[in-house]
Amino acid sequence: MSDRGGRHSRSPVSSMRTFWGLMSAYWLSQSWRQAWGLTFAILVLTALSAKANVWFALTSGELVNAIAYFHDPTTPTTLTSLLTTATTLAAIAILRDAGFIAVRHFFSTTLHRKWREWLDQRFNEALLDSNHTHFHLQQIGANAAGSVISALDNIDQRLQEAIKGMTGAALGLAMGISGVVLSLGFVGSKLIETSVDVRGFEFLGRYGSACLTFTAIAIYVPLNTFIATKLGSVLQRLSARMQWAEASYRTELNRLLHRSFHLAVLRGERAQKTVNEHRYVDIDKTWASLNRVTAIYMGFELIHNFIGSRIIAYAPGLFPFVENKLSLRSYVTGAKLANALISDCSWFIHVMPDIATLGANARRITDLADAIETVQRPQEFYAQTGPSEFHYEKQEPALGLTLQQIRLLHAGVDLPFLSADNLHFPPGEWTLVVGQSGSGKTSLFRAIHGLWAHGSGEITTPRRVRSIYAAQDVKLPAVPLKDLVCLPESASRHQDKNVVAALQKAGLGEFAEDLSKDGHDGQSWDQLLSGGQKQKLVLARILLLRPGLVFLDEATSALDTKAAYAFLQTIKDRCGDATVIAVMHDVSPIQSANGVEFFDSVLTIEGGVAKKITIAAWHKPTASQS
């Protein structure tokens, strides 16, 4: 026996359930050439930028020296040489900033875009697979007994804002680390090369000034990085709290939009306003705390920059300069090199707020990946909160649809609310499903399609037979009209004339010229079409695809009696061999214009038991009462 949705293949995001798995997945994927190619270009440009810092420091020293001794007769400097040095310095600055850093920014933003696109594709593949992962994912934490997995908030925010923020911060962090390493190599080696001895540190020899510079940086930068880390951890907690508060408020606004009509009818705006205000309190309080910590961090960062560039960079070389062991040019050059090294090594301090959000965003993405992987085996997932023992098989089309030993349960409840021992629906038979509201009619349809969580039973469907489920509430994706009619098949498989013919037969001929349009005046078809028109659109789909198995779950509820009967008659005329199982809003005698019953049998649900009888047997009690 097999179970629908019980596949054992891993999801496209199974490797992204940990931080490092998420970070490395793109570079280890089939797109590795693209990822590593852009990464290599960024590293080369980062190295050239670090090398340019050395050139800039050397030329800056020469320029300051030329200006300082311009009028000194012992070391004459011509205006031409001064301007040449200044021009060279400007050229180096332009080459570094516009040639290396700007081009590196282009490559890094391209890598950011490609990485985000790749992640978005992987998560879309995982959510929109044949396993209906997007549906099962929303059942987490939604059952009465409570799920062992925390419910996910705002999947849309995780797929958009969290991925965008995480990828940008991660790339920035990687670029910063590579910049520090390369700067230590290029700038550090030049500091050693230009080093001189320092009085009191004769044991260091000619490396005295370089050792003092490295020591000052090694003390100053880590100390401030430690402070930045502590402030960053506070920012990370507040960022995570802010994301939660924003998500909670967004969820409430989404619910408001979905129940807007009912709220207006009940005049419940005042109550809803109170709820919204209460939700926003968390946002406001967290935002206030976040602003305070951000302001403190900004002040700390500005002080760090000033002390680093004006004191730490110049202090180590001051002693040998005073003792005339360093020329002004060498002193300025050393200070510029030290400042460049401090700036590169302080990169973590400058981006700590972004790094703080990196952890929060990565956690939201890995949690989503973990939840997706969890529901890859739906029955194992649902079994955590109740029995889930449905088995799905295929049989020859001539045998139709068979349901055996069906038991449907709610989470946390041991007794089934719907039972059916043996139900058979042969090809071409029309069955009407009747029962009180809440008796389980729609639940039975969901179980047949593998979308009911708890219970047991064997569902055997006809092999190679197309099935269509028509629900009462029709939701249309924002795609062209032709795509809507052809769903779930590709629009390219059907000729326009056949789609137009289906629309005309369904009573939507006025839209025959709009096949390629996805709506009008900025509105999608879901917004433009009325409830009755949407149900006629489903009829057009049935007429076009000619399914062998049709489930109508109050699919004519938005139509008047005449239109509803026309709906059924059209299916009867155009899809005569189809097996139709229908839940009808109106269960009064349903007959064609010639007085012929549409349905051959009735599936009654009474007292939690589903039984199938002939249409004649169903009519008998009514006749005796009359």
Side-chain angles (χ1 to χ4, degrees), residues 209-419:
S209 63
C211 288
L212 285 180
T213 301
F214 288 137
T215 301
I217 295 174
I219 295 174
Y220 180 71
V221 174
L223 176 62
N224 284 277
T225 302
F226 175 76
I227 298 172
T229 302
K230 292 300 182 181
L231 290 173
S233 64
V234 178
L235 286 172
Q236 180 172 351
R237 289 195 299 271
L238 289 174
S239 296
R241 174 70 185 181
M242 190 70 173
Q243 287 180 341
W244 179 87
E246 293 276 12
S248 177
Y249 190 52
R250 177 186 292 181
T251 299
E252 185 59 38
L253 291 178
N254 285 333
R255 289 172 179 168
L256 164 63
L257 296 176
H258 282 90
R259 60 172 183 256
S260 179
F261 170 76
H262 302 285
L263 187 69
V265 170
L266 293 173
R267 300 183 182 273
E269 284 82 3
R270 179 178 298 178
Q272 184 64 46
K273 188 185 298 182
T274 302
V275 174
N276 289 357
E277 290 173 351
H278 177 72
R279 297 277 186 180
Y280 194 80
V281 166
D282 282 338
I283 295 177
D284 187 63
K285 289 182 178 179
T286 307
W287 199 353
S289 300
L290 192 59
N291 287 344
R292 285 193 294 270
V293 178
T294 302
I296 293 172
Y297 195 93
M298 181 181 295
F300 159 77
E301 185 178 1
L302 291 172
I303 294 172
H304 166 82
N305 292 340
F306 172 77
I307 295 176
S309 62
R310 292 292 181 264
I311 297 177
I312 304 299
Y314 283 89
L318 182 61
F319 302 108
F321 175 72
V322 171
E323 295 177 353
N324 204 27
K325 293 181 180 180
L326 275 179
S327 65
L328 178 62
R329 180 177 65 180
S330 298
Y331 177 46
V332 173
T333 298
K336 293 292 185 181
L337 288 170
N339 186 41
L341 191 58
I342 291 172
S343 178
D344 288 338
C345 292
S346 300
W347 184 89
F348 297 101
I349 296 174
H350 302 320
V351 299
M352 189 58 70
D354 292 329
I355 296 175
T357 62
L358 169 62
N361 283 324
R363 179 61 182 272
R364 291 182 67 76
I365 300 168
T366 55
D367 283 349
L368 176 59
D370 192 52
I372 289 174
E373 186 66 17
T374 298
V375 300
Q376 287 307 294
R377 301 180 180 90
Q379 292 199 1
E380 292 181 15
F381 162 64
Y382 290 126
Q384 297 176 73
T385 51
S388 184
E389 301 173 356
F390 295 105
H391 298 275
Y392 297 87
E393 292 287 355
K394 294 289 184 179
Q395 62 187 7
E396 291 303 314
L399 299 177
L401 169 67
T402 303
L403 310 179
Q404 293 180 313
Q405 303 302 315
I406 300 297
R407 303 290 184 270
L408 301 187
L409 303 170
H410 290 301
V413 181
D414 296 330
L415 295 177
F417 66 89
L418 177 62
S419 301

